[in-house]
Amino acid sequence: MDFDIKEEIFKTNFEKLIKKYKNKRVLLYGAGQYFDKILENHSFKELNIIGISDLRFEQGNEDYYKNYKTIKPSNIKNLDVDVIIVTLVNYPSVKQFLINNTKALIEWVSPSLEDKKRVVNKNYSSVIEKIKTKKKLRIGFLVNEAEKWQYGALYEKFSNNRSFEPLVLITKRTTKRNDKECFIKLYNFFKNQNIEPIKAFDEKTNTYIDINKFNIDLLFYQQPWELDYCQNIFHTSRQALTFYCPYAISESSFVFNQTKDFFSLLYCHFLVDKSAKKQYLDFDKTLKNLVVVSHPKLDNIINKKTIQKDKKTIIYAPHHSFSEKSLNWATFLWSADTVLNLAKKYPCFSWILKPHPGCFEKLIKDTAYTKKDLDNFLLRWQKIGSIETKGSYFDLFLSSNLLITDCGSFIVEYLFTKNPCIHLLKNDLNNHSLLNQKIIKTYYSAKNEQELEYWFDEILVKNNDSLKTKRLNLIKELDIGLSSDNILNFIKKQL
């Protein structure tokens, strides 16, 4: 989560670090936009800086950055240094690496989470007093990817209540700042649903628009990733209470550890069930913003009738996490051609490719798979099946007969179709939530080509869905209902 380095709390923390380590040997770690922003408003000149390190320097192509000597991360273990000051937004991403490679003290240039909490909670108290005097509340939904839109049912619930005015605010992930096509797609996604989205990103100046300018009272975030400082919780909490329903329904420790500030600073974090709440308390026992309500996505599929089609329909939904530094679920490298060969073998079925939004980008970035390889695969796929990239996919689920996936959120959502799923398993289940682990036991797991082909033959060719009763019993046991009423009632009760 980006942070405005002009904030008084940042300035106070920065000056404290300068004073504390004035006579020490200091290494800076992080040479990105965040560091550049810091230099525009603050100075490290009072410190004895021996250099700056960053992954980008590992190739040794730059000798100096911003007049500081560059140091390869792999050389940190050989340095005589007293303290390392991390000048990255995402401190957790490098924390363990630094701990493993140095005996020096490690400090983050950003204010501590506890300091941020004190400021944000004070903001919330003021916002609540303001809200109590209003007859109609403006509800904002901050969205940056159409494929992860999870608030459809909740938006509709607010629209039908005279006490609320729901608004969709569209923006961009900070790494997608220059992606015009994605922003146009996002805008058209809502237009096609008869929702007039409000742009929270200025395309002419290529800048983010301060969310507080929209006079939002309650703000729902789509995801915790890549938020500009004028749209992050520390800033928006001055005017609005902040809420979040996980776009992946049940998230893992990996997601929490990468964006701990986001989860800790939320006014309210809505969760799907008690096991999800227990899991978050295992991550951090100090969390007091967790409320179990089910999930708005599930409102679109629970108790819905299946859509009958002439052909049996199979969905292949590959995940994006190929790197060991990520969730590391993606099996595309072995499963894609296996599914493609099954599609060729059984042309009597309808085949749909539903990739995670980041799948193909990460496939090329994090593996030896090339764009030429991908183009070739997609060309072969289009000859036997279709590709689905729309944001809303619940009718697709309800009209299908089998899901083949290594994605996390789909594991929960697809359960309520009552149909079978072949879960593609790359490693153990540690990165899956407790709810996911419970559901996966009612699915058919495949770790390789042979197991995938075996289960496909059993389920669709031989019509042997031996785990169906187990899935139906789990649905009853979970007793997960509709979330929209629960969220609305919670908000009314709180305010």
Side-chain angles (χ1 to χ4, degrees), residues 62-77:
E62 298 177 70
D63 293 328
Y64 286 88
Y65 184 78
K66 302 292 184 180
N67 296 322
Y68 293 110
K69 182 182 178 181
T70 62
I71 295 172
K72 298 178 181 180
S74 57
N75 289 339
I76 289 178
K77 58 180 174 290

Side-chain angles (χ1 to χ4, degrees), residues 9-239:
I9 188 176
F10 183 95
K11 181 182 176 183
T12 301
N13 188 69
F14 187 87
E15 291 175 348
K16 188 190 300 180
L17 288 177
I18 298 296
K19 185 177 180 180
K20 186 176 181 180
Y21 298 113
K22 197 169 185 177
N23 300 314
K24 303 294 184 181
R25 288 172 57 81
V26 178
L27 172 71
L28 302 176
Y29 191 99
Q33 290 182 348
Y34 192 53
F35 177 66
D36 294 349
K37 284 182 183 179
I38 294 170
L39 291 187
E40 290 174 8
N41 295 272
H42 305 280
S43 173
F44 291 97
K45 65 182 181 181
E46 293 185 42
L47 293 179
N48 177 21
I49 306 294
I50 68 163
I52 185 168
S53 185
D54 192 285
L55 274 177
R56 61 191 280 190
F57 304 143
E58 196 61 61
Q59 303 304 317
N61 298 325
E62 298 177 70
D63 293 328
Y64 286 88
Y65 184 78
K66 302 292 184 180
N67 296 322
Y68 293 110
K69 182 182 178 181
T70 62
I71 295 172
K72 298 178 181 180
S74 57
N75 289 339
I76 289 178
K77 58 180 174 290
N78 302 319
L79 295 179
D80 177 19
V81 62
D82 299 307
V83 61
I84 298 176
I85 297 179
V86 179
T87 49
L88 291 172
V89 171
N90 192 359
Y91 172 55
S93 66
V94 299
K95 182 179 178 181
Q96 195 56 50
F97 166 77
L98 294 175
I99 289 173
N100 294 340
N101 285 274
T102 183
K103 294 181 179 179
L105 295 170
I106 302 170
E107 293 272 14
W108 191 19
V109 72
S110 178
S112 72
L113 179 55
E114 290 307 312
D115 286 342
K116 292 177 187 176
K117 276 183 180 180
R118 280 192 286 272
V119 174
V120 168
N121 288 334
K122 186 176 180 181
N123 289 345
Y124 287 150
S125 295
S126 299
V127 171
I128 289 173
E129 291 305 310
K130 177 195 72 172
I131 287 176
K132 285 180 178 179
T133 65
K134 300 184 72 171
K135 292 183 178 179
K136 193 168 190 175
L137 302 184
R138 287 167 69 87
I139 315 294
F141 294 91
L142 186 64
V143 185
N144 50 31
E145 287 184 293
E147 295 85 352
K148 294 179 181 177
W149 171 242
Q150 72 266 46
Y151 291 120
L154 189 58
Y155 177 91
E156 186 177 346
K157 179 66 68 172
F158 281 127
S159 297
N160 295 328
N161 191 303
R162 293 181 181 180
S163 299
F164 303 101
E165 179 189 1
L167 306 166
V168 171
L169 308 169
I170 59 172
T171 185
K172 293 185 180 183
R173 291 175 63 166
T174 51
T175 58
K176 302 287 186 180
R177 188 175 187 145
N178 298 311
D179 192 334
K180 294 181 179 179
E181 185 179 337
C182 184
F183 197 59
I184 293 171
K185 177 183 176 182
L186 181 60
Y187 180 83
N188 290 333
F189 168 75
F190 287 105
K191 287 286 288 184
N192 292 336
Q193 296 186 61
N194 296 317
I195 296 174
E196 186 67 41
I198 298 171
K199 294 182 179 180
F201 183 86
D202 190 325
E203 296 165 281
K204 292 181 180 179
T205 60
N206 205 37
T207 57
Y208 294 88
I209 299 173
D210 187 341
I211 293 297
N212 292 343
K213 291 182 178 180
F214 298 105
N215 297 317
I216 300 299
D217 298 304
L218 310 179
L219 181 63
F220 283 80
Y221 282 91
Q222 181 188 41
Q223 56 186 333
W225 314 105
E226 300 176 33
L227 298 163
D228 186 77
Y229 76 84
C230 70
Q231 297 181 354
N232 74 23
I233 294 175
F234 189 88
H235 185 75
T236 60
S237 65
R238 293 171 176 172
Q239 296 242 349

Side-chain angles (χ1 to χ4, degrees), residues 279-469:
Q279 189 163 8
Y280 270 93
L281 289 174
D282 288 340
F283 301 156
D284 184 349
K285 289 181 172 57
T286 68
L287 293 174
K288 296 180 180 179
N289 57 359
L290 309 175
V291 179
V292 175
V293 295
S294 180
H295 194 283
K297 271 188 178 182
L298 298 181
D299 290 10
N300 296 290
I301 204 162
I302 288 178
N303 299 327
K304 300 288 185 181
K305 290 184 178 180
T306 55
I307 302 170
Q308 299 298 324
K309 284 194 170 184
D310 295 335
K311 290 184 176 181
K312 287 184 178 180
T313 300
I314 298 97
I315 303 169
Y316 172 48
H319 200 246
H320 68 86
S321 57
F322 295 91
S323 168
E324 290 184 1
K325 295 179 181 179
S326 66
L327 289 166
N328 200 20
W329 290 342
T331 63
F332 185 93
L333 293 177
W334 70 262
S335 64
D337 283 339
T338 308
V339 176
L340 185 64
N341 290 333
L342 285 170
K344 290 178 180 178
K345 186 176 179 181
Y346 296 100
C348 55
F349 299 146
S350 178
W351 294 85
I352 298 172
L353 174 63
K354 172 70 176 153
H356 185 284
C359 178
F360 296 151
E361 179 184 345
K362 295 286 183 65
L363 175 65
I364 295 171
K365 178 184 175 184
D366 295 337
T367 74
Y369 213 80
T370 66
K371 187 177 185 304
K372 184 178 179 181
D373 294 329
L374 178 59
D375 290 342
N376 180 46
F377 171 79
L378 294 178
L379 185 64
R380 288 184 292 150
W381 182 274
Q382 287 170 326
K383 290 179 180 179
I384 53 90
S386 61
I387 302 174
E388 179 63 59
T389 58
K390 294 178 183 177
S392 181
Y393 49 84
F394 297 106
D395 283 350
L396 178 65
F397 276 11
L398 290 167
S399 62
S400 68
N401 299 88
L402 174 69
L403 174 68
I404 302 174
T405 191
D406 46 22
C407 289
S409 184
F410 285 178
I411 288 172
V412 182
E413 295 161 35
Y414 200 73
L415 174 70
F416 295 94
T417 67
K418 302 175 184 176
N419 291 329
C421 170
I422 298 177
H423 177 239
L424 305 172
L425 189 60
K426 186 175 183 180
N427 42 43
D428 57 38
L429 300 178
N430 289 341
N431 272 338
H432 280 281
S433 70
L434 296 175
L435 178 59
N436 274 25
Q437 292 180 41
K438 188 178 288 188
I439 293 173
I440 288 170
K441 291 178 182 177
T442 72
Y443 288 164
Y444 304 89
S445 292
K447 296 179 182 178
N448 51 51
E449 177 182 344
Q450 292 74 26
E451 291 180 358
L452 174 53
E453 290 176 342
Y454 173 80
W455 286 123
F456 183 86
D457 183 68
E458 280 290 309
I459 297 165
L460 279 195
V461 180
K462 296 180 180 177
N463 293 313
N464 180 23
D465 181 7
S466 59
L467 293 176
K468 184 170 184 176
T469 301

